[in-house]
Amino acid sequence: MNEILDFQYILDQVGPIEMALKGMIIGIVASAPMGPVGVLCVQRTLNKGRWYGFATGVGAAISDLIYAAIAGFGMSFVVDIIENPIIAYWIKVAGSILLFIFGVWTFRSNPAQQIRPVSKNKSNLVHNFITGFLVTLSNPLILFLFVAMFGQFTFVVNNFVPQIVGYVFIVVGALLWWFGLTWLINKVRNRFDVRGIWIINRVIGVIVMVVSAAVAISVLTGNFFSFN
């Protein structure tokens, strides 16, 4: 019972800074796995240049924001239910389990199977942005990932300003990931190959599994994960 009361206290203390940190983590986790757009970003960075890869990531980040808003808007309809401490407690547990499964799937997936020939024609940054946006938008399953993360991080709150800050920083987190990834790929372009993509994916999978397991344990033991 004390754990549930502590959880209600956490719900009541969510502010803009905490939502910014949560949004940034969610943006990074949603972008990091080497799915089709990740592989496309790496290919374009290697074949066309860093900023063409980054433009692809920017398009993906905007698409992620749309799916995040859809997931959050849907959950906001039941925000009174979500803020019930008992229900919120089990939502966090379920979110941790789903994220752990996502980490296992990421670890076991083979990004090399998604590699496709990329035209040497650089086209333009707008074209790369649009294709990154459309490739990500064509994968509605990301909604389930956002629902899981929103539940785990108590992201949907009944407070307008912190909520908007959270959404903004989902994009910030995604852009930080794509900026860092394209910078790294550009730096090691002469030594980077398909195995490099595979290694990145496995590392990401392990990180997601470890974090989700840690949050699940903290929830179950009453030592809730919080930025406060």
Side-chain angles (χ1 to χ4, degrees), residues 16 54 64 75 177 182 206 214:
F54 181 65
D64 283 343
M75 293 179 72
W177 169 258
T182 53
V206 170

Side-chain angles (χ1 to χ4, degrees), residues 195-211:
R195 179 172 174 80
I197 300 177
W198 178 79
I199 291 174
I200 289 175
N201 219 45
R202 289 217 151 186
V203 170
I204 292 168
V206 170
I207 292 173
V208 172
M209 285 188 283
V210 170
V211 171

